[in-house]
Amino acid sequence: MSDTATPSVLFVCVHNAGRSQMAAAFLTHLAGDRVQVRSAGSAPAGTVNPAVVEAMAEVGIDIAAEAPKVLTVEAVQASDVVITMGCGDTCPVFPGKRYLDWQLPDPAGQGVEAVRPIRDEIEKRIRGLADEIAPVS
């Protein structure tokens, strides 16, 4: 982990409009200030996928105000854990970082019915991650 007591996690997907936004929102919701959370995309979309916003609202998490962000080297360097979701070789790799690659379907162009199972799988993985890196004391 970094020099601070607070671990930092970066979620990366291509458009930063679906999977990484959901993952960041769940980790922020579950871990609060026990974790620094970032998300970014290698080729950010203009807006967050509306079906993703709707699916997250169904579980009480409002991400309507979020906007896709571009992946930067600085964001990777500032993170302890980097979780990629389909960004492939465009994600920079630095020694000393923990990398996880989550194989998840891309919700782009999908309706809320298709997004729900992706959302639920992300929530399950985030709960395990939060228990591991930021347990409630």
Side-chain angles (χ1 to χ4, degrees), residues 34-85:
R34 297 190 320 273
V35 178
Q36 290 181 340
V37 180
R38 297 175 181 86
S39 72
S42 54
T47 61
V48 174
N49 179 334
V52 167
V53 172
E54 182 180 344
M56 292 301 287
E58 291 176 352
V59 296
I61 300 175
D62 181 5
I63 63 169
E66 294 298 324
K69 295 165 280 306
V70 69
L71 176 64
T72 65
V73 169
E74 294 78 17
V76 176
Q77 289 175 321
S79 301
D80 299 306
V81 180
V82 179
I83 299 175
T84 58
M85 302 174 203

Side-chain angles (χ1 to χ4, degrees), residues 5-134:
T6 306
S8 177
V9 179
L10 170 64
F11 296 99
V12 183
C13 66
V14 175
H15 299 296
N16 190 223
R19 296 166 289 186
S20 56
Q21 290 282 351
M22 288 189 282
F26 273 125
L27 187 55
T28 299
H29 179 74
L30 293 169
D33 60 3
R34 297 190 320 273
V35 178
Q36 290 181 340
V37 180
R38 297 175 181 86
S39 72
S42 54
T47 61
V48 174
N49 179 334
V52 167
V53 172
E54 182 180 344
M56 292 301 287
E58 291 176 352
V59 296
I61 300 175
D62 181 5
I63 63 169
E66 294 298 324
K69 295 165 280 306
V70 69
L71 176 64
T72 65
V73 169
E74 294 78 17
V76 176
Q77 289 175 321
S79 301
D80 299 306
V81 180
V82 179
I83 299 175
T84 58
M85 302 174 203
C87 77
D89 295 338
T90 61
C91 188
V93 175
F94 293 97
K97 306 292 177 194
R98 178 179 172 198
Y99 289 89
L100 300 171
D101 185 39
W102 289 357
Q103 297 295 317
L104 296 161
D106 188 349
Q110 304 291 320
V112 70
E113 299 79 19
V115 173
R116 287 182 187 119
I118 302 167
R119 174 201 65 201
D120 295 345
E121 178 61 24
I122 289 171
E123 180 182 16
K124 184 177 90 176
R125 293 180 189 205
I126 292 297
R127 287 185 180 279
L129 180 70
D131 289 346
E132 176 190 338
I133 67 170

